[in-house]
Amino acid sequence: MTDRNGVTIPDMYAPISPWAYFGLTLLYNVPVIGFIFAIVFSCGASRNRNVRNFSRSFFCYYVIIAIVLLILLFTGGLTAIISNLSLFIIVAFLD
């Protein structure tokens, strides 16, 4: 690939388009399949470093969410959130 200045960029470092980022974001947000693709692409299935680093960022996001949910689960915070949410839904539908 050649950039604007005529410099040849290897495919490994070629930038990806905003639509590619959008498509990858949609792919990674599919519940189970997205997690599997994030692991596969972050381990090196893609030769492009931009795709690999973007996949690693989503994988880190999944890990952080899992840690937060485990902390909430073990401290009882998740139960409080769910019970308050269900109470909010009941009150919202009664009014």
Side-chain angles (χ1 to χ4, degrees):
M1 178 177 176
T2 307
D3 70 352
R4 288 184 253 188
N5 300 326
V7 178
T8 302
I9 300 172
D11 290 335
M12 181 180 192
Y13 300 108
I16 58 176
S17 70
W19 284 108
Y21 282 114
F22 180 73
L24 288 171
T25 302
L26 288 178
L27 176 67
Y28 297 150
N29 283 322
V30 176
V32 176
I33 297 170
F35 182 72
I36 293 170
F37 273 101
I39 291 172
V40 169
F41 282 157
S42 65
C43 291
S46 176
R47 294 184 187 266
N48 192 321
R49 284 199 172 192
N50 295 314
V51 173
R52 192 175 345 154
N53 289 334
F54 189 67
S55 300
R56 287 177 181 169
S57 70
F58 257 88
F59 183 69
C60 290
Y61 169 75
Y62 285 139
V63 169
I64 290 170
I65 293 298
I67 290 171
V68 168
L69 285 176
L70 284 174
I71 290 171
L72 286 174
L73 181 69
F74 286 124
T75 60
L78 194 60
T79 306
I81 291 172
I82 291 172
S83 65
N84 286 336
L85 184 63
S86 64
L87 181 64
F88 174 74
I89 291 172
I90 291 171
V91 169
F93 282 117
L94 290 179
D95 285 339

